[in-house]
Amino acid sequence: MAGLFISFEGGDGAGKSTQLARLAQWFREQGREVVTTREPGGTALGDQLRTLVLHGEDLDERTEALLYATDRAHHVATLVRPALARGAVVLTDRYLDSSVAYQGGGRGLTAERVEELNLWAVDGLLPELTVLLDLDPAQLPARLTGAPDRLERAGSQFHARTRAAFLERAAAHPDRIVVLDAAAPVEEIALQVRSHVERLLVRTG
Ligand code: TYD
């Protein structure tokens, strides 16, 4: 059976991990091997990079972009590609589109440059499906819990630019990226995700 690669994207607190867990459970009920993972993180090196980039000292924007790309390169080479090669379903909480939106749009490094860097880092691997959970950043404070990390502290304009970059990217890649309203009830979103996945499974056989 061919592997399947699906990413969940969206602003902080948009409910990605809840939806990812729901979809993982559904795939497991179908008897598929499922690997759930996340960026930054997902590997031992990735967890260290995650701590550095989210909770370390202030970083120059290029350094930040390179750290996310480093995490992604290692994640893809050591975890994602091997899992896909043995036919697993890989569900990741964030992937390359996050860098394009946060470092490209949010930090202003431009989408094209950041995409190019990251496509090189992962040797061209893109998900078959990306679920973008779109949320108005104004709804953020109500949803976030715990102490904010470096990115969450970046301010409302940064988050508005990030959201716009995500939506622009979705418009440019309509075959891969589906946009769902993250403010909808969890169950409704889960049904929409599943219907997109079922369509993908029919398409890919
Ligand atoms: P994440 O753990 O998904 O945070 P949350 O659960 O709050 O959504 O991601 C951590 C932060 O890292 C988040 O603010 C987005 C940011 N990020 C980037 O800026 N670029 C990237 O490439 C990735 C993967 C994440």
Side-chain angles (χ1 to χ4, degrees):
M1 194 172 280
L4 194 63
F5 187 26
I6 299 175
S7 62
F8 287 78
E9 299 281 8
D12 305 281
K16 299 182 302 303
S17 50
T18 304
Q19 291 302 329
L20 189 151
R22 297 290 283 263
L23 187 63
Q25 189 191 344
W26 182 80
F27 269 118
R28 287 187 181 116
E29 284 163 9
Q30 319 285 308
R32 295 285 307 249
E33 183 200 353
V34 182
V35 174
T36 61
T37 186
R38 69 170 178 178
E39 289 185 355
T43 63
L45 173 65
D47 283 337
Q48 288 181 299
L49 290 169
R50 181 183 176 90
T51 303
L52 292 176
V53 79
L54 292 180
H55 305 290
E57 63 190 270
D58 270 350
L59 299 173
D60 162 74
E61 59 212 18
R62 286 166 197 259
T63 312
E64 180 183 282
L66 287 165
L67 285 175
Y68 280 114
T70 303
D71 165 66
R72 185 162 297 123
H74 184 67
H75 185 220
V76 165
T78 64
L79 189 144
V80 177
R81 281 195 193 272
L84 294 175
R86 58 173 195 268
V89 175
V90 178
L91 305 180
T92 185
D93 187 336
R94 298 194 182 282
Y95 190 60
L96 184 149
D97 300 302
S98 273
S99 276
V100 175
Y102 283 82
Q103 282 64 55
R107 297 290 191 218
L109 290 174
T110 78
E112 294 74 18
R113 300 291 289 278
V114 175
E115 178 178 32
E116 192 184 356
L117 167 71
N118 279 277
L119 282 174
W120 179 82
V122 300
D123 200 12
L125 182 72
L126 284 173
E128 271 93 12
L129 176 70
T130 294
V131 176
L132 172 57
L133 294 172
D134 178 51
L135 186 68
D136 181 348
Q139 297 194 23
L140 257 181
R143 284 205 171 204
L144 287 180
T145 50
D149 63 41
R150 250 184 9 90
L151 278 282
E152 286 163 356
R153 291 195 303 265
S156 60
Q157 294 200 348
F158 172 85
H159 289 287
R161 286 197 300 277
T162 300
R163 182 194 194 195
F166 267 132
L167 291 174
E168 247 173 61
R169 192 146 175 83
H173 299 274
D175 292 342
R176 175 171 67 86
I177 307 178
V178 299
V179 184
L180 302 181
D181 178 8
V186 169
E187 194 54 43
E188 198 177 300
I189 300 173
L191 284 173
Q192 290 174 3
V193 170
R194 212 170 302 154
S195 91
H196 284 286
V197 168
E198 281 169 339
R199 243 175 279 165
L200 171 70
L201 291 173
V202 168
R203 218 169 61 217
T204 57

